[in-house]
Amino acid sequence: MGYYRVDFRCDDDDPLQRELDRLYGYHDDIETRVLHRGRLNLFFLLLRELIAKRVVTRMGSALDIGCNAGMYSKILSDEGFAHVEGIDIDEEQVRRAVETFAVQAAERSIEFRVENAEAIDPARKYDFILCTEVIEHTSQPQKVIENIAAALVPGGIAVVTLPNAFSLPFAKAALKYRLTRKARDPVFEDHLRYPFWRAMRLFEGVGLERVRTTGTNLIWDATTLRWLYRTPVFEPLNRAQFALARRWPLEYGAQFFYSVWQKEPKPRHS
């Protein structure tokens, strides 16, 4: 059995949740705690689905762009990728990932390093690339997409996630942000840069074909979680909204929009 398990309670009774709290430091930030667990749940299930449906067939190497404290890299390794590399610009997060998840063996490895997504080594090639909640914070988003396309082997798969400004949670947060007129928050403003249609346009002309889309979180924000977290209705409601957000067309209204892309194979010579 792998390290990761899907969970919709997000409470202290779950040892894995306690480990996530330790790694990511959000025990007292319920909104981040719940939303991050939802994104992990979705990636875990999506990856298993892509493998089961033979969309992902090559399990040699994977790259986790924006690896943070390393949980996604661990999932990739546990689900069968022989060699996983995680990169991030945050040295402290990379240090935590190394201490918790790094493995070095001939048949299986997980390694982490400080590296900018805008400067990925084009000589390195991967069967699978994950880039989650990174592109919106970069100064050259198109360059990151081009790097992903260049780093994939022909037929390789990329999963890219971005915050979706076309969602109820972000619409409510944006309205509150504008009405309160607090000091500017550039990180939050980055989250409003990509409604799902603009996210999709980033991939035009780079040699990637869209395989599928999905999403997570239709309703949760700080206010609704303050009302409902730790009440009897939270877990079933969290489970239900998670299931709905994965379905067309509701995925386009999810706060976090996931797209799956395949690099075009090399043309056959006649």
Side-chain angles (χ1 to χ4, degrees), residues 31 35 162-165 167 169-170 216-218 220 253-257:
E31 182 181 16
L35 297 185
L162 287 105
N164 178 16
S167 64
F170 273 133
T216 188
N217 191 39
L218 293 172
W220 296 131
Q255 186 177 14
F256 302 100
F257 185 69

Side-chain angles (χ1 to χ4, degrees), residues 67-167:
C67 64
N68 208 279
M71 180 58 71
Y72 288 99
S73 296
K74 174 64 172 171
I75 291 172
L76 286 164
S77 179
D78 284 351
E79 293 306 305
F81 286 94
H83 303 289
V84 178
E85 299 175 20
I87 64 172
D88 203 292
I89 61 171
D90 188 324
E91 293 184 12
E92 173 60 21
Q93 295 296 341
V94 169
R95 182 190 65 77
R96 291 186 189 181
V98 169
E99 290 178 351
T100 309
F101 297 120
V103 174
Q104 276 294 346
E107 70 283 356
R108 175 175 175 264
S109 66
I110 310 175
E111 59 184 76
F112 302 94
R113 63 181 179 272
V114 176
E115 187 172 324
N116 193 316
E118 297 175 21
I120 295 172
D121 183 354
R124 296 175 180 266
K125 302 297 179 183
Y126 303 91
D127 299 310
F128 185 96
I129 296 177
L130 170 66
C131 181
T132 179
E133 314 302 312
V134 171
I135 291 170
E136 68 276 13
H137 298 302
T138 63
S139 60
Q140 301 181 79
Q142 197 64 55
K143 177 63 174 174
V144 178
I145 298 294
E146 292 169 1
N147 287 345
I148 290 172
L152 281 173
V153 300
I157 297 294
V159 174
V160 179
T161 88
L162 287 105
N164 178 16
F166 186 72
S167 64

Side-chain angles (χ1 to χ4, degrees), residues 12-57:
D12 295 335
D13 291 334
D14 177 11
L16 179 55
Q17 187 63 59
R18 294 197 297 271
E19 176 68 355
L20 290 168
D21 292 343
R22 180 190 70 81
L23 280 171
Y24 293 92
Y26 49 44
H27 178 270
D28 298 320
D29 182 351
I30 299 305
E31 182 181 16
T32 303
R33 186 189 218 198
V34 171
L35 297 185
H36 187 239
R37 192 66 185 266
R39 298 201 302 273
L40 285 166
N41 286 345
L42 180 55
F43 177 67
F44 177 77
L45 295 174
L46 176 62
L47 180 60
R48 286 200 160 183
E49 176 187 308
L50 293 174
I51 294 171
K53 291 184 176 180
R54 303 289 294 167
V55 176
V56 172
T57 57

